Amino acid sequence: KEEAFDLLEQARSSGADLLVLTGGEPLLVDWLPDAALLARELGYRRITIQTNGILLAREEIWARLQRAAPDELLISVHGPTDAVVESVSGLPGLLEPKQHAIVASVEAGYRTAISFVLCRQNMTHAAATMEMLASLSAQPNLVAFSYVAPSGSAAKAGKGTIPSMTDTAPHLLAGLRRAAELGLEPVLVEYCGLPTCIEPALRDFSEPFDSDHPLGVPPDKRKLQVCQSCYWSHRCSGIFKGYLDLYGSDEIANAPASHRQEP
């Protein structure tokens, strides 16, 4: 707790004003409301709690969330059916609790965002997942799409969980477009998406792709020589190093030159 509070103070003194409380599962932490209260006192202007949502049916966990009073909940969703959700998570029976959490958080007045991470097990179900979300009695405010990072259990599973970017792109685009059609406000998270030389149509959903603000390249990513001449390079955070170890660089190196040019 003390270390976390020190980090909150250090980040705020360095200029941070947006806070995401994540984990693990932050709703399991009994002093979560204290951290949120401190963040308010320090002047953070928005607090998001990222959760898998399955604990919100428990009264004591819901009470903890209400005491924390975040501005936004970011709830992870893995697919449209129990079978798909189990294929991703390895656990049965998670879909209904997640659906309950989404509806409850919306009805309680929290801004509710969905985190949908495409992997091999669920990528062909992206559009159907959006249809499931739209069918709920209360819909989320936003759906944040991302591509599975080659870390943790995904890295251990390798190609069994991490599909190629070329294979992922059409399913990712289909999910984004279906979400837009259904009014779910889709966005492709800038650090967790795909390099758009793979599929330029993804730029319509990247956050915000028309910005002149350059993205940095995080330590777990890198750019290739060919990236230096790309018009969109300033809006691309690069390719995961773990992905390059798994699939190599041909997809990027051989992307059509037209995908790198000024529109």
Side-chain angles (χ1 to χ4, degrees), residues 121-261:
Q121 286 75 14
N122 68 11
M123 67 180 184
T124 60
H125 303 278
T129 302
M130 300 307 106
E131 292 164 3
M132 179 274 291
L133 292 171
S135 73
L136 298 177
S137 60
Q139 289 77 45
N141 302 97
L142 177 146
V143 180
F145 287 73
S146 58
Y147 168 69
V148 60
S151 60
S153 59
K156 293 177 183 177
K159 292 182 179 181
T161 291
I162 304 169
S164 72
M165 295 186 293
T166 301
D167 289 343
T168 305
H171 302 295
L172 174 58
L173 187 58
L176 288 160
R177 286 174 169 167
R178 188 65 180 128
E181 291 169 354
L182 295 167
L184 293 175
E185 192 178 340
V187 63
L188 182 57
V189 181
E190 56 187 4
Y191 278 107
C192 304
L194 300 181
T196 58
C197 57
I198 297 292
E199 173 48 76
L202 293 172
R203 292 169 191 151
D204 292 338
F205 302 96
S206 298
E207 57 163 8
F209 212 86
D210 56 354
S211 171
D212 288 329
H213 178 71
L215 295 181
V217 180
D220 57 348
K221 288 187 171 185
R222 72 180 180 90
K223 289 189 176 181
L224 308 178
Q225 184 70 27
V226 69
C227 300
Q228 296 181 10
S229 60
C230 179
Y231 175 81
W232 305 98
S233 182
H234 72 295
R235 295 300 305 157
C236 179
S237 61
I239 310 104
F240 285 111
K241 294 175 182 177
Y243 181 90
L244 293 171
D245 292 339
L246 201 60
Y247 284 102
S249 60
D250 286 352
E251 290 168 289
I252 301 295
N254 297 330
S258 59
H259 290 188
R260 308 182 190 281
Q261 296 168 357

Side-chain angles (χ1 to χ4, degrees), residues 14-92:
S14 298
D17 63 356
L18 304 178
L19 174 65
V20 178
L21 296 166
T22 184
E25 176 50 61
L27 292 176
L28 289 172
V29 179
D30 58 7
W31 46 265
L32 175 70
D34 299 329
L37 177 61
L38 174 61
R40 296 287 184 206
E41 293 173 348
L42 292 171
Y44 285 91
R45 66 180 176 88
R46 191 174 79 201
I47 299 173
T48 296
I49 293 178
Q50 185 170 1
T51 174
N52 63 29
I54 60 175
L55 298 177
L56 292 180
R58 288 166 48 178
E59 184 176 342
E60 71 275 16
I61 298 297
W62 183 255
R64 183 175 295 163
L65 172 68
Q66 290 180 304
R67 291 197 304 275
D71 301 291
E72 179 181 63
L73 284 180
L74 180 60
I75 299 174
S76 60
V77 168
H78 304 314
T81 67
D82 279 314
V84 176
V85 173
E86 184 173 353
S87 73
V88 176
S89 66
L91 297 171

